[in-house]
Amino acid sequence: MPRRPLVVGNWKMNGTRASSLKLISEILAGLPSDARADVGVCPSAVFIPEVANALQGKSVRLGSQNVADQDQGAFTGEISAPMLREFGVSLAIVGHSERRAIYGETDALVAARYAKAIAHGVTPILCVGETLDEREANKTFSVIDTQLAAVIDLCGVESLSQAVVAYEPVWAIGTGRTATTEQAQEVHAYIRSKIADLNADVASKLQILYGGSMKPDNAAALLSQPDVDGGLIGGAALDASSFLAICLAAN
Ligand code: PEP
């Protein structure tokens, strides 16, 4: 059974209340009704309630850019999976490289966030990927092994049947530098084979997204790779026509 494509926009800390509503209404207006690909958007957390309203009765999924590793309590600044669920959030990015690099999130913390998403029926989008130094030192696969092992050790390989993985080479995020189709396919196939060693069924159904300067002009080639099941889109997700063009390429 072919895996269903998934395209998710990560709006990061961009936009205003008004521009977020404009963006979601343009996306909704432009999506074909017979689209094969699933589509999701991750607005800034403060705009989630209004974007959730706009998405009432629509098939576009609502995502969060992170999720707490706790359910409630004295965790200033965090937003828990049950809170997100109240607003219809069904996706949560975990382990984005900006969280790992800028805010020091460790593999253990990322795994704890992932576990809470799973426990509350929110699909984690687990981001993995190497820096340029790690790639040049031939450490790409070992970095990904460690990042995957953190969640598998905590939650078991079966948890990946309720998750999505995003391969995001750090050197390609927001840089305009994209992995070649061969580089992306090589790592996606590696991720799938590592998981298949533990559970072939989970591996064959797992959606593995590519993220890193995916744009309308490179999306079709990346998405045509056998193990690339969609995209996690940063910059191009802030422009409705670019995002829609990528969604169309995923169809
Ligand atoms: C991202 O931040 O997840 C991302 C893929 O960003 P960009 O598309 O801008 O490289």
Side-chain angles (χ1 to χ4, degrees), residues 10 12 96 98 168 172-174 211-214 232-235:
N10 173 11
K12 309 194 186 188
H96 191 280
E98 287 153 13
E168 298 211 305
I173 296 179
S213 298
M214 191 185 271
L232 182 56
I233 320 298

Side-chain angles (χ1 to χ4, degrees), residues 123-165:
T123 303
I125 301 175
L126 171 69
C127 299
V128 297
E130 80 288 1
T131 63
L132 189 57
D133 283 353
E134 289 163 346
R135 174 163 281 264
E136 287 174 347
N138 281 325
K139 290 188 182 148
T140 297
F141 295 152
S142 66
V143 166
I144 284 168
D145 286 349
T146 306
Q147 292 170 336
L148 285 176
V151 303
I152 293 172
D153 291 350
L154 185 66
C155 301
V157 68
E158 288 73 23
S159 70
L160 286 163
S161 65
Q162 299 162 67
V164 170
V165 170

